Amino acid sequence: MVESKPDDLMERIVSLCKRRGLIFQSSEIYGGINGFWDYGPLGAELKRNVKDYWWRVMTRLRDDIAGLDATIIMHPKIWEASGHASTFADPMVDCLLTKKRYRADQIVPQSGLAYHFSGAEEGATPAAGKPKMCAEPYSYLVPDAKKIELARQAARTFYRQRGLAEPRLLGERTETVVNSTRYNPENGSLLTEPRLFNLMFKTYVGPVESTENMAYLRPETAQAIFAQFKTVAEVARQKVPFGICQIGKAFRNEINPRNFTFRSREFEQMELEFFIRPDEAVEAICGRVARPEKPGHPGSPQPDWGWQMWHQYWVEERLAFYENIGLPRASLVEYWQKPEELAHYARATVDILYKFPFSKRDDKGELAGEELEGVSARGDFDLSQHQRFSAKAMTVFDEELKAAWAGLDEAKKTALAERYFEGRRAYLVKMNEPAEAAARQARQEAAALAHGLYLPHVIEPSAGVDRLALALICNAYCEDQAPDEKGKMEKRVVMRFSPRIAPLKVAVFPLLKNRPELVAKARQIRDLLRPLMTVFYDDAGAIGRRYRRQDEAGTPFGVTVDFDTLGEQGEGLKETVTLRDRDTMKQQRVKISELPALLLERIQ
Ligand code: GAP
């Protein structure tokens, strides 16, 4: 394999994506639009395969998960309840010189000599209506004192932008600065103070653009699941533990979209909300709560599992999913968020990271990885919020709990009820309910637990389709050597997609396009396979070139119809074709009648 520098590698991947129609800029003929991407023919197939496989393993192959397809625009109260309206914000800073905007938490700390100016006065005769001076302070960071002219030039530009024609700088002084995030790493200019910027896109519902008609494009698909929780549970006749999953578009007005599609403003999510019993209910029913004793997959779900077992189960299920579509375990990182990194409602979050070529490196120089998915244990926060904001009960009735509770001794009843009470009270107080009202309501909820009523807790595996598609592309990209038409070795770009998610599964080639018998047979094979998988028919150019084009598209199998297929070498090889493997480039002779079963086995 030819080694590439990471930046260079990413450039090649981006260029291949464009060349082969995987991904390109949205609205390209108008110069593109930052943070928005289109998927071409191959990219659309790749994305569809990823989503179909996720949907299959999450819903169709399980009894305990139901699907949902909710709207993008929902009642604005949903975003008040979820906290997005008030807290879904990133701190941003602007460069005082270029006006470029950055995320404050992504500014790399800078050290050097800062030149501070208290203001500037007009050095020329001021034109009518123009200011004579500007008292706004400005600073500029240079690596050392020798670069003083850079600082003065930047300061003059700054004051010119404020209306002075020939600024004379005032109050110049210097300061040694160490590890400061107040200066733009791209040019040294002072940045504005950080301000919070809400990432939700706003729009208006109906013809009047008023505050009452304002709505948001959803920043995540999850909230629709919580809002529809009761309805789906009822119509799907599901009992806790069970899940609801959804795939769909999400929108975030990211301050700094970057790394190709990794951080986009429009993207797709695949989210599961898996509802479980609170641990107190599990203990009442089973007499114990099972907790993880060792790392790894804990096996099939059991009734005595508490939230930690469920959380571990979903982390492992999700890791297995990624391995099943071709991301090797070594390319993934299981990152347990530290307590100080957790969202206020989360009990535990594991981020599943993929080692993208643009990932940061750790102390040992290894790629640290970037988030593909978060698997979060969110307690009963979300359903509690929607219950409070909508005033509709989100509780479920658990027959088994009611029956088990009746059989508990008094000490156990008190201990479990007290624990449940404490949890509910703490949540209500955190949500600013007055202490007395919170205690009263929590007491009622603890009493309801004894009658089999509770708010389910949730484990949320939340993945991004676009990030996964990008990870699959980066992982598949490979450069090796293959013989050209004359047997001379040349560089080959090959996308080693897992056959399960490869955009095209098989390419069919007649050896020569000017031989009607070969063409007719090849078309017959294309039509035989087409109802079962994506097939690409190609009769243009030399066969080696055609193989190379499919290698770049990542097509795992190639079928060539030659004169042997027509029986010209005798009956033995009649109705057989060569089947070429993309990765090994090995060819085998296969009966046409056996092709469908053989290929299906390898791609499913
Ligand atoms: N409901 C939880 C939630 O939305 P998140 O970590 O904000 O959690 C989940 O998003 C996943 O969505 C991420 O792991 C990532 O794969 C994807 N995602 C989030 N923001 C994205 C963006 N700006 N561009 C592309 N994918 C994004």
Side-chain angles (χ1 to χ4, degrees):
M1 167 141 174
V2 179
E3 287 289 327
S4 306
K5 287 199 284 323
D7 288 351
D8 180 34
L9 177 63
M10 210 50 221
E11 265 167 39
R12 290 177 207 207
I13 290 172
V14 173
S15 135
L16 175 107
C17 283
K18 186 167 175 181
R19 190 168 73 244
R20 292 312 317 233
L22 278 154
I23 305 173
F24 30 79
Q25 271 265 302
S26 161
S27 326
E28 206 161 21
I29 57 167
Y30 293 101
I33 170 165
N34 198 6
F36 297 87
W37 300 94
D38 290 343
Y39 290 77
L42 291 181
E45 287 289 349
L46 176 69
K47 246 179 122 175
R48 188 169 291 275
N49 292 344
V50 165
K51 289 188 283 182
D52 285 352
Y53 183 62
W54 187 91
W55 191 257
R56 188 148 71 88
V57 296
M58 286 304 211
T59 62
R60 299 205 173 139
L61 298 181
R62 299 182 67 113
D63 292 328
D64 57 356
I65 300 182
L68 176 70
D69 190 347
T71 58
I72 286 170
I73 293 177
M74 296 185 280
H75 198 291
K77 273 253 171 204
I78 288 198
W79 307 111
E80 283 177 41
S82 68
H84 285 81
S86 54
T87 60
F88 191 57
D90 279 338
M92 54 151 208
V93 286
D94 296 327
C95 173
L96 284 172
L97 213 54
T98 62
K99 310 286 175 289
K100 222 169 136 187
R101 185 158 283 182
Y102 304 89
R103 260 178 63 174
D105 53 344
Q106 287 172 355
I107 299 288
V108 181
Q110 309 289 306
S111 302
L113 193 64
Y115 279 86
H116 301 299
F117 304 93
S118 60
E121 60 186 11
E122 184 58 276
T125 315
K130 291 277 180 184
K132 287 202 183 86
M133 78 164 294
C134 173
E136 207 181 318
Y138 178 71
S139 303
Y140 191 88
L141 189 74
V142 292
D144 56 64
K146 284 190 212 138
K147 303 275 188 218
I148 176 172
E149 260 322 301
L150 275 183
R152 289 179 183 156
Q153 259 169 32
R156 279 194 281 271
T157 309
F158 173 82
Y159 291 113
R160 247 181 243 118
Q161 287 169 355
R162 275 143 189 83
L164 301 184
E166 283 175 31
R168 193 163 347 152
L169 303 173
L170 301 173
E172 181 183 303
R173 69 184 171 85
T174 57
E175 182 195 7
T176 304
V177 163
V178 179
N179 285 339
S180 168
T181 51
R182 296 287 295 118
Y183 298 90
N184 186 346
E186 285 173 18
N187 64 7
S189 172
L190 187 68
L191 299 161
T192 57
E193 290 290 339
R195 276 170 295 162
L196 282 177
F197 173 77
N198 194 298
L199 301 186
M200 284 197 291
F201 278 100
K202 295 188 189 77
T203 187
Y204 296 93
V205 176
V208 183
E209 293 194 5
S210 61
T211 321
E212 312 83 85
N213 291 338
M214 205 175 74
Y216 300 102
L217 303 190
R218 66 181 176 202
E220 62 170 26
T221 60
Q223 292 306 321
I225 299 181
F226 296 122
Q228 295 288 14
F229 163 72
K230 287 288 273 187
T231 312
V232 178
E234 220 169 279
V235 296
R237 301 176 64 78
Q238 289 282 0
K239 287 206 167 60
V240 174
F242 82 98
I244 303 174
C245 69
Q246 166 159 237
I247 299 179
K249 289 268 188 183
F251 303 82
R252 297 184 187 178
N253 199 1
E254 297 284 356
I255 297 170
N256 215 357
R258 64 197 173 122
N259 288 331
F260 199 20
T261 57
F262 181 82
R263 193 174 297 287
S264 307
R265 289 180 164 140
E266 175 175 341
F267 55 96
E268 271 183 286
Q269 288 186 315
M270 307 184 282
E271 297 201 289
L272 165 68
E273 305 303 327
F274 197 83
F275 301 96
I276 55 174
R277 287 174 167 142
D279 279 6
E280 292 79 17
V282 173
E283 194 170 333
I285 295 166
C286 303
R288 64 188 175 277
V289 178
R291 299 200 169 82
E293 282 168 6
K294 53 181 181 351
H297 200 295
S300 317
Q302 300 299 322
D304 65 353
W305 279 10
W307 71 265
Q308 285 150 310
M309 285 295 268
W310 277 111
H311 185 232
Q312 182 166 326
Y313 169 84
W314 277 113
V315 170
E316 292 297 327
E317 284 285 299
R318 299 302 304 139
L319 285 167
F321 170 88
Y322 290 116
E323 286 186 78
N324 286 340
I325 54 174
L327 296 184
R329 188 66 186 79
S331 70
L332 301 168
V333 178
E334 179 185 330
Y335 176 76
W336 285 76
Q337 286 192 10
K338 300 188 188 84
E340 64 274 18
E341 293 171 325
L342 288 174
H344 68 90
Y345 47 76
R347 293 170 148 189
T349 298
V350 170
D351 289 333
I352 299 177
L353 317 180
Y354 173 75
K355 296 178 184 173
F356 286 98
F358 50 78
S359 297
K360 287 185 216 84
R361 290 186 182 266
D362 63 18
D363 304 341
K364 294 185 206 118
E366 298 282 321
L367 288 174
E370 303 288 334
E371 181 185 326
L372 275 188
E373 165 160 1
V375 185
S376 209
R378 299 170 67 105
D380 55 11
F381 174 78
D382 304 276
L383 290 181
S384 301
Q385 287 291 95
H386 287 297
Q387 177 164 281
R388 282 196 318 122
F389 277 74
S390 68
K392 304 271 177 354
M394 289 285 167
T395 46
V396 293
F397 172 62
D398 190 328
E399 185 85 55
E400 261 186 276
L401 171 62
K402 189 177 173 203
W405 197 277
L408 297 178
D409 62 36
E410 287 310 310
K412 191 77 184 169
K413 281 183 189 169
T414 311
L416 291 178
E418 210 47 35
R419 242 165 57 200
Y420 194 73
F421 162 79
E422 271 312 329
R424 296 299 303 154
R425 194 178 64 89
Y427 155 74
L428 291 163
V429 168
K430 205 160 157 189
M431 292 301 117
N432 297 325
E433 290 290 335
E436 239 175 75
R440 201 168 40 248
Q441 191 184 324
R443 194 55 75 199
Q444 283 166 8
E445 290 175 341
L449 184 74
H451 298 284
L453 281 170
Y454 56 76
L455 279 165
H457 286 218
V458 75
I459 308 290
E460 178 196 71
S462 167
V465 180
D466 308 77
R467 282 194 190 172
L468 176 51
L470 185 58
L472 291 166
I473 290 169
C474 292
N475 187 69
Y477 185 89
C478 186
E479 293 169 9
D480 65 8
Q481 300 279 318
D484 69 5
E485 292 305 302
K486 296 183 183 110
K488 196 168 141 253
M489 294 307 266
E490 61 172 7
K491 187 177 110 177
R492 169 178 90 137
V493 172
V494 53
M495 294 298 281
R496 297 191 194 275
F497 288 123
S498 147
R500 196 170 252 154
I501 50 93
L504 302 170
K505 308 298 184 198
V506 60
V508 179
F509 314 112
L511 186 64
L512 298 170
K513 82 166 172 187
N514 55 4
R515 297 296 290 261
E517 327 82 278
L518 291 176
V519 169
K521 185 50 90 185
R523 290 203 169 134
Q524 211 182 342
I525 295 171
R526 175 197 64 189
D527 295 343
L528 170 77
L529 297 175
R530 217 174 222 176
L532 308 170
M533 62 196 80
T534 43
V535 186
F536 191 81
Y537 175 84
D538 188 3
D539 59 15
I543 193 75
R545 288 272 140 241
R546 284 184 263 168
Y547 284 153
R548 216 55 86 237
R549 282 200 290 267
Q550 292 310 311
D551 289 342
E552 257 199 4
T555 312
F557 305 106
V559 167
T560 307
V561 174
D562 55 19
F563 293 105
D564 293 351
T565 316
L566 305 177
E568 292 196 3
Q569 296 293 325
E571 284 301 304
L573 292 178
K574 196 170 173 198
E575 289 295 308
T576 66
V577 286
T578 58
L579 179 64
R580 174 186 181 265
D581 182 288
R582 173 198 66 199
D583 297 337
T584 61
M585 293 188 271
K586 292 217 170 89
Q587 305 198 3
Q588 65 177 124
R589 205 79 205 172
V590 174
K591 283 191 184 141
I592 296 172
S593 59
E594 288 169 5
L595 261 182
L598 197 142
L599 289 172
L600 279 178
E601 191 199 308
R602 297 193 193 173
I603 63 175
Q604 270 176 356

